[in-house]
Amino acid sequence: MQSPPAIPVPVLRLPRGPDGFSHGFAPEGRRVPLKPDVPEIQEGPMSEDSPETQEQRARATLRERYLRSLLAMVVRPVTSTLHQGVLVAAHFGATDLDVANFYVSKLQTPIGVQAEALLRCSDIISYTFRL
C-alpha cells in the first residue's frame, strides 16, 4: 500500500540578516538593557496610594517578570500551547522590540519540523521551559 502524497506546507522565509547568512534577527541587534536590581522600598501599613497607582505598580511588576522570563528562555527548549490545544516545541532565539513575535529554531509541530520560524505572540496561549 502506498503512503499518501506529502501535503505541501507553506514556509515563511525571513529576509537575510545583516551578516548575509542568517535570517531575521541580528544576534547583536538593538536590545533594551534591563534596569539594575534596586531593593524595593518597604511601605508602611498606612499607604495612601490611589488604586490607579497600585494597579500601575502591579502591571510594572508583572511586565518586569515577563521580560525576565523571556531573557531566561534564550537558547532553551520551550514548549508552547497554541490555540485549539496545539502543542509545539522549539528553541527560543529572540523577540522583536515590541514583543509581538518570537523567533524560534528547530520548531517541532504536529505536521513536521521547521528549521527557523516566527511565532506570533497573539497565537501563543502559554509556554513552559526548564531553568
Side-chain angles (χ1 to χ4, degrees), residues 7-11 111-112 114:
I7 299 171
V9 177
V11 176
I111 60 171
Q114 185 67 35

Side-chain angles (χ1 to χ4, degrees), residues 48-65:
E48 295 183 20
D49 288 338
S50 67
E52 291 83 17
T53 304
Q54 291 175 355
E55 182 179 354
Q56 186 176 8
R57 276 199 190 121
R59 287 179 182 269
T61 301
L62 291 172
R63 173 89 174 150
E64 183 177 352
R65 286 181 186 173

Side-chain angles (χ1 to χ4, degrees), residues 83-96:
H83 290 285
Q84 298 182 351
V86 177
L87 289 175
V88 297
H91 284 80
F92 182 80
T95 182
D96 51 5

Side-chain angles (χ1 to χ4, degrees), residues 17-18 22-31 94:
S22 64
H23 292 281
F25 296 94
E28 292 80 41
R30 183 176 73 169
R31 295 184 184 191

Side-chain angles (χ1 to χ4, degrees), residues 88-108:
V88 297
H91 284 80
F92 182 80
T95 182
D96 51 5
L97 196 56
D98 56 346
V99 194
N101 300 300
F102 286 167
Y103 165 74
V104 296
S105 59
K106 302 177 187 171
L107 178 65
Q108 299 173 359

Side-chain angles (χ1 to χ4, degrees), residues 26-88:
E28 292 80 41
R30 183 176 73 169
R31 295 184 184 191
V32 179
L34 291 175
K35 71 175 190 173
D37 289 333
V38 178
E40 294 183 17
I41 300 172
Q42 295 294 330
E43 297 181 19
M46 299 299 288
S47 175
E48 295 183 20
D49 288 338
S50 67
E52 291 83 17
T53 304
Q54 291 175 355
E55 182 179 354
Q56 186 176 8
R57 276 199 190 121
R59 287 179 182 269
T61 301
L62 291 172
R63 173 89 174 150
E64 183 177 352
R65 286 181 186 173
Y66 175 66
L67 293 174
R68 288 187 185 276
S69 78
L70 291 179
L71 188 61
M73 22 186 241
V74 174
V75 240
R76 294 182 191 266
V78 177
T79 303
S80 301
T81 303
L82 308 179
H83 290 285
Q84 298 182 351
V86 177
L87 289 175
V88 297

